Amino acid sequence: MDILKGNKTIDQGMETPQEFAHRIMKMINSATMTVALSLGVETGLLKIMGDLQEPSTSSQIAQRAGLKERYVREWLGAMVVGRIVDVDPIEDTYYVPPERRPFLVDGPMNVVAFSRLIPMLCEAYDSVAECFRRDGPSGVSYTKYGKFHQFMDHMSNMLHNTTLIPDVVPSIPGLVPKLESGCDCLDVGCGRGRAVLLLAQRFPRSVFYGIDISDEAISFARNEAQRLSLSNCHFIIKDAASLPERWVEQFGFIICFDAMHDMAHPRIVLNGIHRALAPGGIFGMLELNVHSHPSKNIGNPRAVDGYVISMMHCMPVSLGFEDGAGLGTMWGREMAVKMLEEVGFTDVSMTPSKDKFNLIYVAKKKIE
Ligand SMILES: C[S@@+](CC[C@H](N)C(=O)[O-])C[C@H]1O[C@@H](n2cnc3c(N)ncnc32)[C@H](O)[C@@H]1O
């Protein structure tokens, strides 16, 4: 068992040194393969492979993708040895067996989109490395991650499109009637606004506000709202740590999805959210389904990428601000519940998302 007792770490299994070295090589192989998968998403090659009905040559695939054959052939080589794509060595043709296809193309079973995380994080690789040095900078600016909002939007689109309206909203007691009859709602750290856009379409009597510090994300969200002709949502560039006075006790429902751990001043933000909620109002927070101590996260499939994402992005962007807290993606349920209770929330509950990777915290503001 991999647990910590007192100060002693307990052996993580009966692994030989050779097995340990092998395990590391496997990790490096998987990581390099992830770069090729990400390029497959970026160039549209994985979608083409997922849609191919007939085995095709590298020239046919390159032609269809509008890409250079030589690069496509090298990429196909990686896909073959990584056992994503099968090859017929006689005909020199490539294809993906039907049972693998849904995992490669957009839709509820897509798993490859997440591979784009690696190049996105590595945009700031040197800057993060500098932060480790004692005399290095304290954090990294969002501007170093050029593709962050695009990546985040892709991921939230897939997550929220399939789960927000059918699963998450109905799982919160009393929320559907509240939103159907109409109330003011706020999304804190809304990014490109996917959650707000979906909620505003489903609940036309409620008014939704999305705030974010990123002007790029907010202008994208505004354009989407306009494209969808939504008049009940408003996107504002705003620091969540300084909510306007006029918002005190204004909102019946506030959400913060995958964003609290990124905040430079999460305690101030949580206090502000509590103040902005009307008595009896509901706060819904989505965070990774993890514990606060690494020893309790061994074996959790989201813990490895969780710590790495945290180290490469979420923690440094928070620490990059003056007095940034650097909570990190893996702040975990124990600390999250403690902080929610400290700002005055009662009835804090946690429900795992459908895929079990996230936790939806639901906290109520007391009616005095
Ligand atoms: C991981 S993203 C999540 C975005 C969105 N909620 C989603 O699920 O796609 C975190 C977001 O929090 C925003 N953010 C970070 N600090 C903020 C602050 N102090 N005030 C408002 N937004 C902030 C970032 O710009 C980013 O869009």
Side-chain angles (χ1 to χ4, degrees), residues 13-173:
M14 306 300 288
E15 193 175 50
T16 66
Q18 285 72 19
E19 283 166 343
F20 174 65
H22 234 100
R23 193 155 58 81
I24 291 183
M25 269 321 293
K26 261 174 90 174
M27 285 178 196
I28 294 170
N29 261 335
S30 299
T32 48
M33 195 55 206
T34 310
V35 176
L37 284 174
S38 174
L39 270 171
V41 178
E42 188 90 32
T43 56
L45 276 167
L46 275 171
K47 181 171 167 13
I48 285 176
M49 294 310 295
D51 289 342
L52 267 190
Q53 298 304 317
E54 306 259 304
S56 305
T57 64
S58 57
S59 304
Q60 289 167 328
I61 295 165
Q63 170 79 22
R64 202 160 154 179
L67 299 170
K68 293 192 190 96
E69 190 277 340
R70 182 65 193 97
Y71 278 86
V72 171
R73 183 156 33 102
E74 208 68 358
W75 178 82
L76 283 166
M79 291 299 113
V80 167
V81 295
R83 296 173 57 220
I84 307 290
V85 170
D86 287 355
V87 66
D88 177 337
I90 315 275
E91 300 290 329
D92 213 7
T93 53
Y94 301 85
Y95 65 100
V96 175
E99 66 278 9
R100 289 187 204 154
R101 292 178 195 162
F103 302 103
L104 305 182
V105 295
D106 269 351
M109 290 163 82
N110 179 304
V111 284
V112 289
F114 210 50
S115 63
R116 297 176 87 184
L117 176 74
I118 308 301
M120 187 278 286
L121 293 179
C122 287
E123 283 184 279
Y125 180 89
D126 290 336
S127 305
V128 174
E130 293 232 312
C131 291
F132 273 74
R133 287 198 343 249
R134 287 195 175 179
D135 60 350
S138 55
V140 179
S141 155
Y142 271 102
T143 55
K144 291 275 177 187
Y145 307 84
K147 291 190 174 167
F148 171 70
H149 287 292
Q150 187 193 1
F151 167 77
M152 207 51 234
D153 186 49
H154 194 170
M155 298 311 295
S156 352
N157 207 4
M158 284 199 304
L159 174 71
H160 297 323
N161 260 343
T162 48
T163 60
L164 182 63
I165 303 298
D167 301 316
V168 176
V169 171
S171 76
I172 303 176

Side-chain angles (χ1 to χ4, degrees), residues 142 148-149 152-153 155-157 160 187-195 211-214 217 238-241 256-265 269 286 313-314 317 321:
Y142 271 102
F148 171 70
H149 287 292
M152 207 51 234
D153 186 49
M155 298 311 295
S156 352
N157 207 4
H160 297 323
D187 183 356
V188 175
C190 65
R192 288 187 173 184
R194 286 296 157 197
I211 61 164
D212 203 286
I213 40 164
S214 160
K238 178 149 271 312
D239 182 351
C256 182
F257 286 172
D258 205 11
M260 188 57 71
H261 59 261
D262 283 352
M263 300 285 159
H265 309 110
V269 174
L286 183 132
H313 177 269
C314 308
V317 293
F321 290 91

Side-chain angles (χ1 to χ4, degrees), residues 150-290:
Q150 187 193 1
F151 167 77
M152 207 51 234
D153 186 49
H154 194 170
M155 298 311 295
S156 352
N157 207 4
M158 284 199 304
L159 174 71
H160 297 323
N161 260 343
T162 48
T163 60
L164 182 63
I165 303 298
D167 301 316
V168 176
V169 171
S171 76
I172 303 176
L175 185 57
V176 172
K178 202 181 181 95
L179 295 176
E180 271 174 347
S181 57
C183 71
D184 284 353
C185 307
L186 174 66
D187 183 356
V188 175
C190 65
R192 288 187 173 184
R194 286 296 157 197
V196 163
L197 294 164
L198 286 168
L199 288 164
Q201 287 170 86
R202 166 65 183 83
F203 299 104
R205 288 183 180 206
S206 285
V207 179
F208 296 87
Y209 296 83
I211 61 164
D212 203 286
I213 40 164
S214 160
D215 45 359
E216 186 261 289
I218 290 293
S219 64
F220 185 97
R222 283 180 184 151
N223 287 340
E224 278 298 281
Q226 204 168 26
R227 189 181 64 79
L228 296 165
S229 307
L230 289 169
S231 56
N232 63 331
C233 61
H234 309 281
F235 292 101
I236 307 164
I237 302 166
K238 178 149 271 312
D239 182 351
S242 55
L243 301 184
E245 264 315 302
R246 65 175 188 285
W247 279 2
V248 172
E249 301 203 340
Q250 181 180 333
F251 297 98
F253 182 45
I254 300 185
I255 55 176
C256 182
F257 286 172
D258 205 11
M260 188 57 71
H261 59 261
D262 283 352
M263 300 285 159
H265 309 110
R267 278 179 204 280
I268 297 176
V269 174
L270 278 173
N271 258 312
I273 288 173
H274 189 261
R275 265 171 13 119
L277 273 176
I282 300 167
F283 176 45
M285 182 172 81
L286 183 132
E287 288 288 329
L288 277 192
N289 184 2
V290 293

Side-chain angles (χ1 to χ4, degrees), residues 278-347:
I282 300 167
F283 176 45
M285 182 172 81
L286 183 132
E287 288 288 329
L288 277 192
N289 184 2
V290 293
H291 291 276
S292 302
H293 197 280
S295 59
K296 289 191 172 168
N297 292 322
I298 299 168
N300 179 334
R302 279 311 303 277
V304 177
D305 68 73
Y307 280 111
V308 178
I309 293 170
S310 187
M311 173 185 74
M312 294 298 294
H313 177 269
C314 308
M315 185 187 76
V317 293
S318 170
L319 289 171
F321 290 91
E322 203 181 336
D323 297 326
L327 209 50
T329 323
M330 299 294 288
W331 61 318
R333 61 175 71 181
E334 293 81 3
M335 191 187 285
V337 170
K338 186 165 175 278
M339 281 173 67
L340 286 166
E341 289 175 348
E342 277 170 5
V343 300
F345 281 111
T346 52
D347 281 346

